[in-house]
Amino acid sequence: MQIRRRPPNPAVNVAYMLYQIAAPDADPQNILEEIVWQKEKEVDQFREKLPLHEVQRQLLNAPARKDFLAALTAVAKPPAVIAEVKKASPSKGVIRADFDPVAIAQSYQQGGAACLSVLTDKKFFQGGFENLKLIRAAVDLPLLCKDFIIYPYQIQWAKLHGADAVLLIAAILSDKDLQYFLKITKKLGMTALVEVHDQAEFDRVLALDGVELLGINNRDLTTFNVDLQTTCELLAARGTQLSERGITVVSESGIHQPEDLLKVAASGANAVLIGESFMKQPDPGIALKQMIQ
Ligand SMILES: O=C(O)c1ccccc1NCC(=O)[C@H](O)[C@H](O)COP(=O)(O)O
């Protein structure tokens, strides 16, 4: 875990101080570090707008969350598809200019998605929590808040906006934070999708308690390089341990053709997370249907 942190507000301690802190005038080493530094500022603004105690007060009336993991494992013909509502990305720029998040989510539901992933990062993905809220009101599927979580506050904020699951990225979190955030997520009645990209991260995550859903991102988030072999090689090396522990595996990113889906499923992935290839099609739900038929 080599991402440095740069908290704008020293009063909000970075948990356990296990992170290397970058000097205020340092430049980010890569896009992931840049995203995390921007996220520090964004979370600070959310906290100013709605302090944690107020988020927690509002959550007292929140409805029970949908079971994201159960929806993935209940699919009759695996792999289950998590379809992503993604307008833009740092690697591709704008993917879909005529972006109607609710219409896309409804189309995905009709097309046979097991769950949805909603990008909520504004600056780098042109997403937002307003999209999550609107989609929650419009579809019945379980929703993943796809963001860069670095504080427990964000997990509660995501729940408040309708998320059933959150993404915890091993590349940006210390082991202690991963373990703590997993606990909080479970306590909130939500699912954590814990994401890894290489064997070192994989082994760190396998040493944690309570991991039920593991994502293997085929995209290197520091270089944008995408390779489906990432899933195949990690599952060849560690798949037995995962199945012994009953951990459900999601292969994420770079899946464009039915053959790609079959390839990661044959290597042992139980589910796939797909964004760009659906979002580039005129009707993302029809593209999904064609992918899984
Ligand atoms: O998509 C990016 O360019 C990206 C860059 C930096 C950090 C994260 C990034 N994407 C997040 C994701 O993991 C994907 O949105 C998701 O797995 C879907 O991938 P795809 O099907 O390739 O759109």
Side-chain angles (χ1 to χ4, degrees):
M1 204 262 313
Q2 289 172 358
I3 295 297
R4 298 170 300 169
R5 298 285 285 270
R6 202 169 67 172
N9 178 357
V12 180
N13 284 331
V14 173
Y16 304 106
M17 301 313 285
L18 285 173
Y19 299 90
Q20 201 191 328
I21 305 296
D25 57 352
D27 288 326
Q29 289 165 334
N30 53 52
I31 182 70
L32 192 57
E33 201 166 81
E34 191 180 349
I35 293 172
V36 167
W37 292 4
Q38 174 63 30
K39 198 56 62 183
E40 296 270 11
K41 293 188 208 160
E42 193 187 292
V43 178
D44 224 34
Q45 287 163 4
F46 287 160
R47 275 200 204 97
E48 259 176 43
K49 215 164 76 180
L50 204 65
L52 181 60
H53 63 84
E54 187 52 30
V55 174
Q56 289 173 334
R57 193 190 65 76
Q58 292 187 20
L59 277 177
L60 293 175
N61 302 318
R65 295 293 99 202
K66 295 178 190 300
D67 193 333
F68 192 91
L69 179 58
L72 295 181
T73 53
V75 162
K77 192 180 156 214
V81 176
I82 305 169
E84 187 154 278
V85 181
K86 181 179 190 182
K87 176 173 182 180
S89 74
S91 58
K92 298 288 161 71
V94 174
I95 299 166
R96 190 182 183 92
D98 70 328
F99 180 74
D100 177 343
V102 169
I104 291 161
Q106 287 169 330
S107 161
Y108 278 151
Q109 180 164 266
Q110 280 199 325
C115 296
L116 301 183
S117 163
V118 183
L119 276 152
T120 47
D121 177 87
K122 243 197 179 72
K123 178 156 185 198
F124 298 92
F125 293 85
Q126 299 189 32
F129 284 91
E130 63 282 9
N131 295 347
L132 189 58
K133 216 170 166 177
L134 288 169
I135 291 170
R136 172 70 298 146
V139 302
D140 292 329
L141 297 175
L143 304 181
L144 169 71
C145 170
K146 194 84 183 308
D147 212 312
F148 298 81
I149 290 190
I150 50 175
Y151 289 107
Y153 175 94
Q154 292 168 274
I155 305 174
Q156 307 191 46
W157 178 260
K159 181 173 178 181
L160 192 63
H161 289 80
D164 305 292
V166 289
L167 180 70
L168 301 179
I169 305 175
I172 63 173
L173 293 169
S174 68
D175 297 349
K176 277 197 167 170
D177 272 349
L178 277 171
Q179 189 65 77
Y180 181 45
F181 292 8
L182 265 164
K183 231 183 187 165
I184 292 173
T185 307
K186 196 156 187 94
K187 212 161 176 207
L188 288 166
M190 302 166 79
T191 301
L193 172 60
V194 187
E195 179 182 295
V196 302
H197 174 68
D198 59 29
Q199 203 150 308
E201 289 173 5
F202 205 104
D203 290 340
R204 283 176 53 211
V205 167
L206 277 180
L208 302 171
D209 289 329
V211 177
E212 295 175 305
L213 186 60
L214 182 106
I216 299 176
N217 203 333
N218 300 307
R219 178 176 286 113
D220 180 331
L221 303 187
T222 60
T223 62
F224 299 150
N225 186 41
V226 181
D227 187 352
L228 298 185
Q229 278 302 113
T230 309
T231 293
C232 304
E233 284 165 18
L234 286 180
L235 288 180
R238 297 284 190 270
T240 316
Q241 280 169 274
L242 293 178
S243 41
E244 278 169 6
R245 286 175 55 179
I247 296 174
T248 300
V249 180
V250 184
S251 180
E252 306 171 21
S253 306
I255 295 163
H256 294 275
Q257 314 288 340
E259 304 83 71
D260 298 337
L261 183 133
L262 294 174
K263 176 178 170 139
V264 293
S267 76
N270 311 103
V272 291
L273 195 157
I274 304 177
E276 185 195 331
S277 71
F278 293 156
M279 293 295 299
K280 284 203 310 211
Q281 299 305 316
D283 187 326
I286 291 178
L288 196 170
K289 208 176 210 167
Q290 287 166 349
M291 176 82 86
I292 59 178
Q293 72 191 1

